[in-house]
Amino acid sequence: MAAPCPEDPSLERHFKGHRDAVTCVDFSLNTKQLASGSMDSCLMIWHMKPQSRAYRFAGHKDAVTCVNFSPSGHLLASGSRDKTVRIWIPNVKGESTVFRAHTATVRSVHFCSDGQSFVTASDDKTVKVWSTHRQKFLFSLSQHINWVRCARFSPDGRLIVSASDDKTVKLWDKTSRECVHSYCEHGGFVTYVDFHPSGTCIAAAGMDNTVKVWDVRTHRLLQHYQLHSAAVNALSFHPSGNYLLTASSDSTLKILDLMEGRLLYTLHGHQGPATTVAFSRTGEYFASGGSDEQVMVWKSNFDVVDYGEVTKVHRPPATLATSSRNLIWEALRKSNLCSPPWFWCMERLSSLGPEVQPEVDFPVPPGRGRSQESVQSQPQEPISMPQTLTSTLEHIVGQLDVLTQTVSILEQRLTLTEDKLKQCLENQQLIMQRTTP
């Protein structure tokens, strides 16, 4: 019996309460609350439980530009055009603490995964890091030469990425406070950036209507999408790392399959520019906001049953492919000559030639291969064997790691398939028993 196809994403809830364009949305840890900010200077907290009342928080003196729940969900941060950041306790009282250090609009706020610090980005051309509980400003990162629209921590909290109107994306080391790399491929203002859940890749959206994905270890451009007909305002990774959600001024949302490098869905709901999107922490829902003053909650309906525990293995997306690569990949996929994981792993051993190899850089499992620190330029100890041989051996070890991880994934998928087949047979027997007179 064939497995059922996943349903299309569906509109689940529709929240109205803002009096101007919605600028930002974010889910709490348990998906019970959804926060949104607006040009109306207010913050709204919507309860996912039907018939529950929403909270309206007033405190900012100008437009609210960004919101982010702390990892625990006990705090909510917001930034505003009034140049301040506020940390709220998201309950009926709506108490908040004000943080001041920026000299212009605060465009972005994001908590570190440990909740101890948060990072902000501003039109004053700086990225600033703050202590959450000591309620103080810690330090600035100041190499952008135009407004900084977005800044995010990496999942492990060691890196910060920022996007700016100077058309660059910058990667920073939090400890050394140095810029590790600048990505300059965008042809216009960069509106949004975020880390892949694995921490090995970043995706950025731009006013040039594009979305780009880079590897933060090699700084190589992995994927490039030009699917929207207007500026891309925001993006969000699915927690599995397999999908990317985008919002655009062309009024649409798009969901991309990063494993196959293709568009999955285009969603129409907002009347006017879609300004913001965010997946829930589980990936079951995603929210969007727009200049039409509306907040929409969608049910993902992705076929997560097929993945089960496999979705917990974060894999970076496939690399940038030429049209010839895509054609060959599509032909192989349709003919079922090889399953995607094996094709991705064995691509260097194939005879397709370098111009058609759809490469993927998998994250190295903990305890194997080189650490993230060793990827950065550190003095190397003298070695007795040729450098080329060393590189070849390291590559072979890396490929063995990939094969080991892939075998584990395939074993889990086989187990899931067996369980589903067993369930289908049991259901069929029940049906036959009921129909037998």
Side-chain angles (χ1 to χ4, degrees), residues 311-377:
T311 58
K312 295 181 180 178
V313 181
H314 298 309
R315 294 176 294 169
T319 58
L320 181 67
T322 61
S323 57
S324 58
R325 279 189 201 164
N326 287 333
L327 288 171
I328 292 174
W329 158 246
E330 191 66 18
L332 285 168
R333 190 174 64 83
K334 288 182 178 177
S335 61
N336 292 319
L337 290 176
C338 50
S339 64
W342 286 109
F343 188 55
W344 292 330
C345 291
M346 301 303 291
E347 44 83 23
R348 291 188 184 275
L349 304 179
S350 71
S351 59
L352 295 176
E355 72 280 4
V356 292
Q357 295 173 358
E359 301 174 352
V360 162
D361 293 314
F362 286 82
V364 179
R368 299 171 182 255
R370 298 174 293 174
S371 67
Q372 186 161 356
E373 289 87 358
S374 66
V375 175
Q376 299 173 8
S377 56

Side-chain angles (χ1 to χ4, degrees), residues 415-427:
T415 302
L416 289 169
T417 304
E418 289 174 347
D419 291 343
K420 289 180 71 175
L421 182 60
K422 181 180 177 181
Q423 185 179 1
C424 288
L425 291 172
E426 290 174 352
N427 290 340

Side-chain angles (χ1 to χ4, degrees), residues 5 73 110 122 133 135 137 142 310-311 351 374 386 407 414-415:
C5 294
H110 183 237
S122 169
H133 301 296
Q135 300 182 7
F137 161 69
S142 309
V310 180
T311 58
S351 59
S374 66
V407 168
L414 182 60
T415 302

Side-chain angles (χ1 to χ4, degrees), residues 42 56 162 165 193 281 283 370 391:
C42 287
R56 181 190 297 274
S162 58
D165 280 9
V193 68
R281 302 298 200 265
R370 298 174 293 174
S391 300

Side-chain angles (χ1 to χ4, degrees), residues 172-194:
W172 310 82
D173 183 291
K174 181 189 172 186
T175 304
S176 68
R177 306 180 189 179
E178 296 292 328
C179 180
V180 177
H181 191 78
S182 291
Y183 304 90
C184 307
E185 285 88 344
H186 273 285
F189 299 164
V190 189
T191 56
Y192 202 92
V193 68
D194 200 4

